[in-house]
Amino acid sequence: MNIKLERVKVKPFIDITEQFNWYDLIYIAFFMAAILCKAVFMQFQMHISFRPLFSKINIFMTISSVGFVLILFAFLFIFYSRNKVAFLIANIVLSVLFFSDAMYFRYYNTIISVPVISNARFLGSVGDSIVSLLRRSDILYFIDIPLFLLYSIIFRKKAVKSQIFSRLIISVFAFALGAGSFAVAKSQNDFSIYDNNYIVKNFGLGYFHYYDAKKYIAENLLRDKKLSSEEEQDIRNYLDKKSNNSVGKYNSIAKGKNLIVIQVEALQEFVIGLKVNGKEVTPNLNKLLNESVYFENIYVQVAGGNTSDAEFMTNNSLYPAKEGTAYFRFATNTFKSLPMMLKEAGYNTYAAHAYSPSFWNRTEMYKALGFDDFISQSDMVLDEFIGWGGWALSDDSFYRQTLEAIDKSKPFYAFLVTLSSHHPYSYFNDKDNFDVGKYDKTYLGNYLKAQNYADAAIGRFIEKLKKEGLYENSLIVIYGDHHGLPKDQAGDLFSLINVSNSKLEWAKLQKVPLIIHYPGLESQVVETIGGQMDIGPTIINLMGLDDYFVLGKDLLNCDKGYAILRNGSVITDEFYYFSDENKVYDFKSGKELDRAAYDEEIKRYLEDLRISDLILEKDAFAKMKFDR
């Protein structure tokens, strides 16, 4: 009996050749490669990551980035069609997002987050600042999009219409690989809840945006805003321990006197006493130091709110919001602010800024902070324009008009936020108000000219205060709000001040001057390390107010100097802890120290951030009762 055997072809579960062709596969492969390259490029372009690419940290970052692309592919592939519209839209959206990350990082030194994006419509016009941040290499974020669009049009008819079941199977497989990649990367790295840059550096840009979106949903849409009894007790214990119940040095020396606080736009500490070509950049502030207390180690603690964060810290001594800005997210909160304390003491309280009242949501936030009047651009005659692209009201006019609007017949608190020296300083590019020598028409040169003008305006304002009898009858506080030079301009600055180009030295430069003048204060230079959180408590001591609700310290009466940054970095006289590296360095020598030896101390410092976040996010002061 002859049996004829026939070879039977087994049809695969999914026949790729029937479902897709090379045109589809090439398009998808190039899409995934393009997104991966853009994300990684942004990290190296902004110096969040460093070569070599295949170092230990970069390897796991790359694995996580590949995981992000796989998960992205998994979701998009379900909707795959001949015109490939889902992939094209995703490419455009992510290209804009990564480009926005780069632009935002250049100015704020951190990655853009969901709260920032959600509040972007309130920020007003910042066109000149944006243009100054552009780089030629930014074209790489978009250069592939026309090619993908052209490819889609040319080969649209050659694409195969695949079945949804096949796409689902492939998508599930890709998602599993992507999630596994995330898990591998996370198993090899510590995690920081405070530093976005640390997350990007170790897990990739794509993972950060996934994590940020998930956190935003959890904290804003799903978060329980009820303050638990345990959280309330944590806050009480902290405030009880933090409050300085004893009478400190200079306590109440300016009680009942006027308070004039000037927050100077982009004024950094290094310009104080600096000479260029033999001339002082800030001669008026230098002169004022001889009659004032000068704090030379005040570190910038702002986050996503920049100028508004500095205002927030001075008037509340609470840390900025973890994400976005407190001026938008918490404008309906109840605060125990400096203007409220002074209102209770019988003061008139004024906030003044020569720009649109809606910018940074100031109209609403100033009400929440307890200011009686907000003197804005809407209340001023726009008679002189200096700075910020040539259309900002000059500081001179701002000071004059603000002083005219204040009722000086009774004690007042005037909180003045200047504008002329605002980034990008292009107005001063062709001005000769100050000779910057070889730095003429450079970013640094324009910045120095801007600060020289701001200093001159302050000098003229002080003379006006003297003529009106306010200089000797007021506590005058002057400080900078945030950094003035982005990191990519560090080269010229290091050259100018003759400092070595290192991460630690750059970090040490992120300080603002703090000058406090009052006739009864002894002229001195205070070396204590502090931050903008400490400005309010120091004022509160001098004015004889209640310091119970502040989280910062009185710089004239503290036992130990320190500054805690919003990203979780910690600065003390002894060490500098970089949260993005999770490493500790000797503050003076720069030598790396054993982090484990400082873990407990760092945790104690970071408790400040946790308590501040509880107060802000749970609106704790509205829900707690205090006997004071």
Side-chain angles (χ1 to χ4, degrees), residues 319-371:
Y319 286 90
K322 280 194 296 186
E323 301 293 344
T325 171
Y327 267 40
F328 290 124
R329 294 184 60 195
F330 305 112
T332 59
N333 276 26
T334 295
F335 297 98
K336 305 290 185 179
S337 67
L338 177 58
M340 287 178 177
M341 295 180 196
L342 289 168
K343 280 180 67 174
E344 292 176 2
Y347 280 62
N348 287 336
T349 56
Y350 303 87
H353 185 52
Y355 194 51
S356 169
S358 64
F359 196 74
W360 283 125
N361 199 32
R362 285 188 173 98
T363 300
E364 299 305 317
M365 195 61 181
Y366 283 163
K367 292 177 184 176
L369 294 180
F371 284 106

Side-chain angles (χ1 to χ4, degrees), residues 99-152:
F99 169 71
S100 300
D101 283 328
M103 297 288 285
Y104 192 79
F105 188 92
R106 285 174 190 142
Y107 193 71
Y108 293 101
N109 200 37
T110 191
I111 302 299
I112 201 167
S113 60
V114 173
V116 173
I117 296 172
S118 65
N119 292 316
R121 65 187 184 278
F122 296 112
L123 295 181
S125 174
V126 290
D128 290 329
S129 292
I130 292 174
V131 170
S132 73
L133 296 173
L134 289 171
R135 302 291 181 269
R136 291 177 182 175
S137 57
D138 291 339
I139 195 174
L140 295 177
Y141 291 107
F142 304 101
I143 197 170
D144 63 306
I145 293 176
L147 299 177
F148 276 102
L149 181 60
L150 186 63
Y151 189 95
S152 301

Side-chain angles (χ1 to χ4, degrees), residues 1 19 31 41 58 107 165 199 202 275 290 319 322 394 396 430 458 489 496 526 540-541 619:
M1 181 177 181
Q19 299 291 322
F31 166 82
F41 167 71
N58 287 340
Y107 193 71
F165 178 73
I199 297 173
N202 289 275
K275 290 184 178 181
N290 297 324
Y319 286 90
K322 280 194 296 186
S394 72
D396 277 310
D430 57 355
I458 289 173
Q489 299 295 325
L496 174 64
V526 178
I540 285 172
N541 171 60
D619 195 9

Side-chain angles (χ1 to χ4, degrees), residues 213-258:
K214 184 179 75 170
K215 185 174 68 170
Y216 179 81
I217 292 171
E219 292 183 350
N220 291 274
L221 304 180
L222 305 178
R223 175 171 61 87
D224 178 12
K225 297 182 180 181
K226 182 179 179 181
L227 184 69
S228 69
S229 57
E230 292 82 5
E231 290 169 336
E232 180 175 339
Q233 193 58 50
D234 283 349
I235 294 172
R236 289 189 186 277
N237 291 341
Y238 179 92
L239 295 177
D240 288 340
K241 183 178 179 181
K242 194 87 173 182
S243 179
N244 181 15
N245 295 314
S246 61
V247 176
K249 185 178 180 183
Y250 298 119
N251 180 262
S252 299
I253 193 174
K255 188 177 182 67
K257 302 300 182 181
N258 302 315

Side-chain angles (χ1 to χ4, degrees), residues 244 246-251 295 526 528 537-538 541-542 553-560:
N244 181 15
S246 61
V247 176
K249 185 178 180 183
Y250 298 119
N251 180 262
F295 302 86
V526 178
T528 303
T538 306
N541 171 60
L542 296 170
K553 57 188 177 296
D554 172 10
L555 292 164
L556 291 167
N557 293 284
C558 59
D559 296 326
K560 184 176 182 180

Side-chain angles (χ1 to χ4, degrees), residues 386-405:
I386 294 178
W388 203 0
W391 51 263
L393 183 66
S394 72
D395 285 354
D396 277 310
S397 181
F398 165 68
Y399 288 134
R400 173 178 52 80
Q401 295 190 59
T402 298
L403 198 56
E404 290 171 353

